[in-house]
């Protein structure tokens, strides 16, 4: 049965899950939840929409800090809703994302190497011009993890019923906190993935090298809402990306990092059964890197 959407905002969420064919071990089923199927190709569409719904914009300009994907979501939604958007982006912003933001009339200011630096700039801006801007503050706004508790996690449960493990990356920690809270009283193991030192992967926090640990990440750790944290190096994920590509998955390096962590934990017999990887974005957002650094 075909589904007709009234608009593109209604296309956010309810993303598909596709099985990844893993031939090495019996009794292992890997499923990839394709958040890249959201309108701007990112799980950040969920966060951006929920933050916008829960703030008073009126005639103000929407501002926030982002390394790229959240900025794309804001620019896109702002354009549709006829609201002005200004995004403060770090040096991690790819050319593809920058062009997308400008295409949807988002204003860009580049500051520093980490999203937190942009976040602090936004705070100063809102204090100086309180009547001009509305600051969404994705790094500290509780509506960030809440939407993943209410939608992302619930969708996974409804799609698969039996979930033995969930593998997801640590960026702002919003997705990880919302999903881990939803499954905390179940037997589902929670695996968190971050970048190893001297490795910067889009959507995968590099906390050993100075990335900001948000209150969401601190809550996950203090309440022990996870089973394993796995650190991935850039040179480890080329094979995993190649495997994804061969099966038709057009995802970013983040998804390859999740697959690499999953295979490593399977080899150590730390996880088994039905395993869900939350793929954060579509491959187009980092297409140059995929083509130059990860393709065979």
């Amino acid at each position: 049965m075909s589904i007709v959407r009234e608009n593109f905002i209604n296309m956010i969420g309810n993303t598909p899950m596709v099985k990844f064919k893993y031939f090495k071990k019996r009794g292992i089923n890997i499923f990839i939840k394709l958040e890249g199927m959201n309108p701007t190709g990112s799980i950040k569409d969920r966060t951006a929409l929920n933050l916008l719904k829960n703030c008073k914009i009126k005639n103000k300009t929407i501002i926030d800090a982002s390394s790229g994907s959240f900025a794309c979501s804001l620019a896109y939604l702002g354009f549709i809703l006829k609201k002005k958007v200004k995004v403060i982006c770090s040096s991690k912003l790819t050319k593809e994302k920058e062009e997308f933001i400008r295409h949807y009339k988002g204003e860009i200011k580049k500051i520093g190497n980490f999203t937190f630096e942009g976040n602090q700039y936004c705070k100063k801006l809102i204090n100086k011009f309180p009547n001009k801007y509305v600051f969404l503050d994705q790094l500290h706004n509780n509506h960030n993890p809440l939407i993943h508790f209410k939608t992302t996690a619930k969708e996974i449960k409804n799609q698969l019923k039996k979930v033995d493990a969930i593998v997801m990356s640590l960026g702002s920690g919003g997705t990880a906190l919302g999903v881990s809270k939803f499954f905390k009283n179940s037997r589902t193991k929670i695996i968190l993935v971050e970048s190893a030192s001297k490795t910067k992967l889009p959507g995968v926090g590099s906390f050993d090298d100075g990335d900001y640990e948000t209150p969401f990440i601190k809550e996950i750790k203090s309440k022990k809402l996870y089973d394993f944290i796995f650190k991935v190096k850039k040179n480890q994920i080329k094979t995993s990306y190649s495997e994804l590509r061969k099966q038709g998955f057009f995802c970013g390096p983040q998804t390859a990092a999740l697959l690499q962590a999953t295979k490593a934990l399977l080899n150590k017999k730390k996880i088994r059964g039905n395993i869900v990887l939350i793929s954060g974005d579509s491959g187009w957002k980092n297409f140059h890197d995929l083509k130059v650094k990860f393709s065979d």
Side-chain angles (χ1 to χ4, degrees), residues 136-153:
L136 299 184
D137 197 4
Q138 64 149 330
L139 299 186
H140 305 93
N141 192 326
N142 287 326
H143 288 292
N144 180 347
L146 184 59
I147 194 62
H148 298 292
F149 180 91
K150 288 183 174 181
T151 67
T152 314

Side-chain angles (χ1 to χ4, degrees), residues 108-144:
I108 301 173
K109 184 176 180 66
K110 295 181 181 180
I111 290 180
N113 298 316
F114 300 102
T115 304
F116 184 66
E117 295 171 82
N119 179 275
Q120 296 303 292
Y121 176 84
C122 288
K123 284 184 179 180
K124 292 177 182 177
L125 207 60
I126 197 73
N127 288 332
K128 191 173 182 179
F129 304 105
N131 297 320
K132 184 177 179 180
Y133 298 106
V134 57
F135 178 28
L136 299 184
D137 197 4
Q138 64 149 330
L139 299 186
H140 305 93
N141 192 326
N142 287 326
H143 288 292
N144 180 347

Side-chain angles (χ1 to χ4, degrees), residues 147-213:
I147 194 62
H148 298 292
F149 180 91
K150 288 183 174 181
T151 67
T152 314
K154 190 174 182 180
E155 288 170 27
I156 291 171
K157 183 65 176 175
N158 289 340
Q159 286 170 309
L160 207 54
K161 307 303 180 186
K162 184 176 184 290
V163 184
D164 295 294
I166 298 175
V167 186
M168 50 192 162
S169 60
L170 276 176
S172 72
T175 302
L177 179 58
V179 172
S180 62
K181 275 188 170 182
F182 184 92
F183 285 96
K184 70 177 181 179
N185 293 322
S186 70
R187 294 183 178 180
T188 304
K189 290 187 176 181
I190 299 296
I191 293 89
L192 305 176
V193 180
E194 63 180 80
S195 298
S197 181
K198 297 179 181 178
T199 297
K200 290 185 179 181
L201 295 171
V204 187
S206 183
F207 304 106
D208 287 343
D209 295 331
D211 261 352
Y212 172 61
E213 281 201 359

Side-chain angles (χ1 to χ4, degrees), residues 5 18 21 92 111 166 191 207 211 227 235:
R5 307 290 188 187
V18 177
K21 296 176 183 176
K92 297 176 186 177
I111 290 180
I166 298 175
I191 293 89
F207 304 106
D211 261 352
D227 293 276
N235 60 8

Side-chain angles (χ1 to χ4, degrees), residues 11-274:
M11 286 184 64
I12 295 174
N14 293 308
T15 53
M17 191 181 288
V18 177
K19 189 172 184 178
F20 174 82
K21 296 176 183 176
Y22 187 69
F23 304 103
K24 294 185 179 180
K25 293 181 183 292
R26 292 183 179 180
I28 302 298
N29 300 300
I30 298 175
F31 302 89
I32 300 181
K33 187 159 177 63
L34 296 172
E35 288 299 305
M37 299 299 284
N38 282 300
T40 79
S42 172
I43 195 170
K44 292 292 188 177
D45 286 357
R46 295 180 189 261
T47 306
L49 180 60
N50 200 44
L51 267 57
L52 288 169
K53 282 182 175 178
N54 288 280
C55 72
K56 295 179 180 179
I57 303 171
K58 295 183 180 179
N59 296 318
K60 296 180 180 180
T61 297
I62 302 160
I63 61 167
D64 210 339
S66 169
S67 61
S69 286
F70 184 76
C72 290
S73 299
L74 275 190
Y76 178 81
L77 291 172
F79 184 81
I80 289 176
L81 299 171
K82 296 179 172 58
K83 302 294 182 182
K84 291 182 179 179
V85 170
K86 180 174 182 175
V87 289
I88 316 302
C89 295
S90 70
S91 60
K92 297 176 186 177
L93 183 67
T94 65
K95 183 180 178 181
E96 296 93 337
K97 293 174 187 175
E98 182 172 347
E99 289 178 349
F100 182 93
I101 293 165
R102 296 194 190 281
H103 182 68
Y104 282 102
K105 308 300 181 184
E107 181 185 349
I108 301 173
K109 184 176 180 66
K110 295 181 181 180
I111 290 180
N113 298 316
F114 300 102
T115 304
F116 184 66
E117 295 171 82
N119 179 275
Q120 296 303 292
Y121 176 84
C122 288
K123 284 184 179 180
K124 292 177 182 177
L125 207 60
I126 197 73
N127 288 332
K128 191 173 182 179
F129 304 105
N131 297 320
K132 184 177 179 180
Y133 298 106
V134 57
F135 178 28
L136 299 184
D137 197 4
Q138 64 149 330
L139 299 186
H140 305 93
N141 192 326
N142 287 326
H143 288 292
N144 180 347
L146 184 59
I147 194 62
H148 298 292
F149 180 91
K150 288 183 174 181
T151 67
T152 314
K154 190 174 182 180
E155 288 170 27
I156 291 171
K157 183 65 176 175
N158 289 340
Q159 286 170 309
L160 207 54
K161 307 303 180 186
K162 184 176 184 290
V163 184
D164 295 294
I166 298 175
V167 186
M168 50 192 162
S169 60
L170 276 176
S172 72
T175 302
L177 179 58
V179 172
S180 62
K181 275 188 170 182
F182 184 92
F183 285 96
K184 70 177 181 179
N185 293 322
S186 70
R187 294 183 178 180
T188 304
K189 290 187 176 181
I190 299 296
I191 293 89
L192 305 176
V193 180
E194 63 180 80
S195 298
S197 181
K198 297 179 181 178
T199 297
K200 290 185 179 181
L201 295 171
V204 187
S206 183
F207 304 106
D208 287 343
D209 295 331
D211 261 352
Y212 172 61
E213 281 201 359
T214 66
F216 312 139
I217 296 173
K218 290 178 180 178
E219 183 176 349
I220 291 167
K221 291 182 177 180
S222 66
K223 294 183 178 179
K224 204 67 168 64
L225 298 174
Y226 68 95
D227 293 276
F228 304 103
I229 292 181
F230 195 92
K231 296 184 181 182
V232 176
K233 295 180 180 179
K234 186 178 289 186
N235 60 8
Q236 293 176 319
I237 70 171
K238 187 172 181 179
T239 300
S240 291
Y241 175 71
S242 178
E243 291 171 355
L244 287 163
R245 181 186 172 203
K246 286 175 182 176
Q247 292 191 30
F249 290 94
F250 185 48
C251 305
Q254 179 253 13
T255 310
L258 300 187
L259 182 58
Q260 179 63 32
T262 300
K263 292 188 296 182
L265 290 170
L266 284 170
N267 288 336
K268 295 177 181 178
K269 297 182 180 180
K270 298 291 186 180
I271 54 175
R272 62 187 303 275
N274 291 342

